[in-house]
């Protein structure tokens, strides 16, 4: 009876998890509903007293709690509600994953194929416009525009999700039993890698090469020849992509232009990379002025606009950004002490890392996830929160299961 109950709980968890990914790609309400059902299923028969035994979860509860109590020093309460609401999955999903049974091989196979095929379909959707107006789309890359993507054109979150999907496929590849399955999954991973270079979203590409570099370094320790071969193939692959994929070439050219403009003193904020660097400076200035409690979760953008007007009056309001870094944004909202809860929560699972394959891929996936956290306001939008939590907690569960059976 207990085994049957656990089997059904695992099946429902996998189905709602896949539904959450589908929702992130194309329907926000589906994502929210699926995450809620995922949590209800996992916690249905778990006494709340056991929740309080999850010390790791309590740390992230403290971080979200800081956002909640910042109400008392926030002026814009509507913005406070919006930015607190988007963080509610941090209260549910880590706790839910903690009480799920170990997934079976069949369940994990289903998740892996579902994830790969979802990303394949989303990539095809993004590539489809190239068949009709390739010249104009390629030309638009000169002005920082990219191909349309799933996740409501959030190319940072989506490209990161594609790179993370490749990482999971590579991790799970040895567990595929049939030769035909391995060939198809390998082709799927290669297609997604090529797609990342066509999309040319920098965040996803950097995350992908973090994965490739991490694998190469690990292999160098075991077999220098194999590790160096991976590095050489990576360099050859990127060179070939730059040579034959015009969107990637234009994207790199735009990045060069933005960097040179910033170095020459351009202060209008119209270039994305320069605008990010300006937002970092202003965010740090605000944190220095409000280090303990921040300015309140609802007043971050208003605070940034004030700083822009003081230091960069040339920047139009449309180019006034949040500090494009999760940790800076959190420190601005709730102060440095509150942000330490987030930092501690993210890195705590590294204490379980051992010299084994599942630990390696947890570290690699965490390193990949840090890329968007450093260059975007990922935790202020649903897609960013969803991508981070679903991939991070899925790989952490594999780490936990390996630790519990060791």
């Amino acid at each position: 009876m207990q085994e049957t109950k656990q089997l059904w709980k695992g099946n429902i968890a996998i189905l709602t998890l896949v539904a959450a990914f589908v929702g992130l790609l194309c329907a926000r309400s589906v994502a929210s509903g699926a995450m809620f059902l995922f949590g209800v299923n996992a916690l249905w028969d778990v006494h709340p007293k056991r929740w309080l035994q999850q010390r790791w979860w309590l740390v992230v509860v403290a971080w979200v709690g800081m956002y909640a109590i910042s109400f008392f020093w926030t002026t814009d309460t509507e913005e406070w509600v919006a930015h607190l609401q988007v963080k509610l999955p941090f209260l549910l999903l880590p706790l839910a994953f903690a009480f799920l049974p170990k997934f079976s091989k069949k369940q994990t196979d289903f998740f892996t194929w579902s994830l790969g095929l979802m990303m394949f379909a989303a990539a095809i959707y993004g590539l489809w416009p190239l068949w009709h107006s390739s010249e104009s789309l390629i030309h638009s890359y000169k002005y920082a525009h990219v191909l349309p993507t799933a996740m409501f054109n959030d190319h940072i979150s989506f490209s990161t999700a594609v790179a993370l999907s490749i990482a999971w496929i590579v991790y799970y590849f040895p567990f595929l039993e049939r030769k035909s399955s391995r060939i198809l999954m390998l082709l799927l991973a290669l297609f997604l890698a090529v797609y990342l270079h066509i999309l040319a979203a920098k965040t996803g590409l950097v995350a992908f090469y973090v994965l490739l570099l991490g694998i190469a370094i690990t292999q160098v320790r075991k077999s220098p020849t194999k590790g160096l071969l991976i590095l050489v193939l990576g360099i050859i692959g990127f060179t070939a992509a730059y040579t034959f994929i015009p969107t990637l070439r234009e994207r790199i050219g735009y990045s060069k232009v933005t960097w040179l403009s910033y170095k020459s003193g351009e202060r209008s904020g119209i270039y994305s990379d320069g605008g990010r660097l300006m937002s970092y400076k202003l965010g740090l200035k605000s944190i220095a002025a409000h280090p303990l409690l921040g300015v309140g979760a609802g007043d971050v953008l208003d605070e940034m606009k004030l700083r822009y007007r003081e230091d960069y009056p040339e920047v139009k309001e449309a180019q006034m950004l949040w500090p494009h870094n999760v940790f800076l944004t959190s420190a601005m909202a709730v102060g440095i002490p509150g942000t330490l809860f987030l930092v501690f929560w993210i890195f705590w699972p590294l204490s379980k890392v051992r010299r084994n394959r599942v630990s390696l891929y947890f570290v690699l996936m965490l390193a990949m996830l840090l890329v968007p956290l450093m260059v975007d306001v990922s935790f202020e939008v649903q897609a960013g929160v969803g991508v981070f939590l679903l991939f991070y907690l899925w790989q952490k569960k594999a780490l936990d299961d390996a630790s519990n059976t060791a």
Side-chain angles (χ1 to χ4, degrees), residues 22-66:
V22 172
L24 287 176
L25 291 172
C26 59
R28 292 186 178 96
S29 59
V30 172
S32 299
M35 290 180 194
F36 177 74
L37 292 175
F38 178 88
V40 169
N41 169 64
L43 301 174
W44 182 257
D45 55 353
V46 179
H47 196 283
K49 287 183 178 179
R50 294 179 61 193
W51 300 5
L52 300 178
Q53 297 171 2
Q54 298 296 315
R55 292 178 297 168
W56 182 64
W57 172 68
L58 292 175
V59 175
V60 80
V61 169
W63 176 64
V64 177
M66 288 297 299

Side-chain angles (χ1 to χ4, degrees), residues 88-282:
L88 295 182
F90 283 96
L91 302 181
L92 180 62
L93 295 184
L95 187 64
F97 268 94
F99 288 107
L100 283 173
K102 183 178 181 179
F103 292 125
S104 68
K105 174 72 167 52
K106 187 175 181 180
Q107 290 167 341
T108 312
D109 279 353
F110 178 80
F111 170 80
T112 303
W113 281 107
S114 298
L115 179 65
L117 292 174
M118 279 189 290
M119 292 301 162
F120 173 79
I124 293 296
Y125 161 80
L127 291 173
W128 188 255
L130 280 175
W131 293 104
H132 303 286
S133 53
S134 59
E135 289 187 12
S136 62
L137 285 171
I138 292 169
H139 182 73
S140 70
Y141 271 71
K142 294 179 180 291
Y143 306 99
H145 300 298
V146 299
L147 290 170
T149 69
M151 294 187 183
F152 306 94
N153 279 328
D154 184 342
H155 61 271
I156 291 178
S157 297
F158 178 67
S159 65
T160 303
V162 174
L164 292 165
S165 299
I166 295 171
W168 176 257
I169 289 171
V170 173
Y171 165 74
Y172 198 67
F173 185 79
F175 300 102
L176 296 169
E177 296 174 349
R178 296 181 180 179
K179 184 178 180 180
S180 58
S181 295
R182 290 189 172 196
I183 293 173
L184 287 173
M185 196 61 78
L186 178 61
L187 292 174
L188 187 56
L190 289 173
F191 170 80
L192 292 176
V194 172
Y195 167 75
L196 274 179
H197 290 80
I198 297 173
L199 178 63
K202 290 177 290 186
T203 308
L205 276 176
V206 171
F208 172 76
Y209 280 100
V210 166
L211 170 68
L212 196 64
L213 182 61
I215 293 173
I217 292 173
T218 304
Q219 289 298 324
V220 164
R221 294 179 178 178
K222 297 178 181 178
S223 170
T225 302
K226 187 182 292 187
L228 290 173
L229 178 61
I230 293 173
L231 282 174
V232 170
L233 289 176
I235 293 170
I236 292 174
F238 182 80
T239 303
Y242 181 80
T243 303
F244 297 108
I245 299 178
T247 51
L248 177 63
R249 198 162 54 247
E250 295 291 355
R251 187 66 168 170
I252 292 174
Y254 173 80
S255 295
K256 291 179 180 177
V257 169
T258 60
W259 176 248
L260 291 174
S261 297
Y262 180 78
K263 292 289 287 184
S264 66
E266 199 282 325
R267 293 167 56 92
S268 68
I270 61 173
Y271 295 112
S272 58
D273 294 340
R276 277 193 177 90
L277 293 172
M278 290 163 63
S279 77
Y280 298 157
K281 286 185 176 181
L282 298 180

Side-chain angles (χ1 to χ4, degrees), residues 339-359:
T339 301
L340 290 177
F341 286 118
L342 174 64
V343 174
F344 188 47
W345 179 76
I346 289 175
F347 292 102
W348 184 341
L350 291 176
S351 63
K352 291 189 175 184
V353 167
R354 301 292 182 267
R355 290 182 175 274
N356 54 43
R357 196 166 186 275
V358 67
S359 293

Side-chain angles (χ1 to χ4, degrees), residues 299-368:
D299 291 349
V300 174
L301 185 55
D302 286 340
E303 169 75 2
M304 287 296 290
K305 288 179 179 179
L306 179 63
R307 300 286 175 180
Y308 270 108
R309 292 184 183 112
E310 290 178 350
D311 293 3
Y312 298 103
E314 305 93 333
V315 176
K316 295 181 180 179
E317 189 164 335
Q319 273 77 47
M320 294 180 180
L321 307 174
W322 285 59
H324 270 47
N325 176 293
V326 161
F327 304 106
L328 291 181
T329 298
S330 175
M332 267 195 73
V334 298
I336 295 172
T339 301
L340 290 177
F341 286 118
L342 174 64
V343 174
F344 188 47
W345 179 76
I346 289 175
F347 292 102
W348 184 341
L350 291 176
S351 63
K352 291 189 175 184
V353 167
R354 301 292 182 267
R355 290 182 175 274
N356 54 43
R357 196 166 186 275
V358 67
S359 293
L360 166 65
Y361 277 86
F362 176 78
V363 172
L364 289 177
M365 191 164 285
L366 176 56
M368 295 169 72

Side-chain angles (χ1 to χ4, degrees), residues 21 115 161 164-165 365 386-395:
F21 273 104
L115 179 65
L164 292 165
S165 299
M365 191 164 285
V387 168
F388 179 87
L389 286 178
L390 294 181
F391 280 102
Y392 180 70
L393 294 172
W394 176 264
Q395 193 75 44

Side-chain angles (χ1 to χ4, degrees), residues 63-76:
W63 176 64
V64 177
M66 288 297 299
Y67 270 77
I69 65 174
S70 74
F71 169 83
F72 295 104
W73 59 90
T74 287
T75 303
D76 192 334

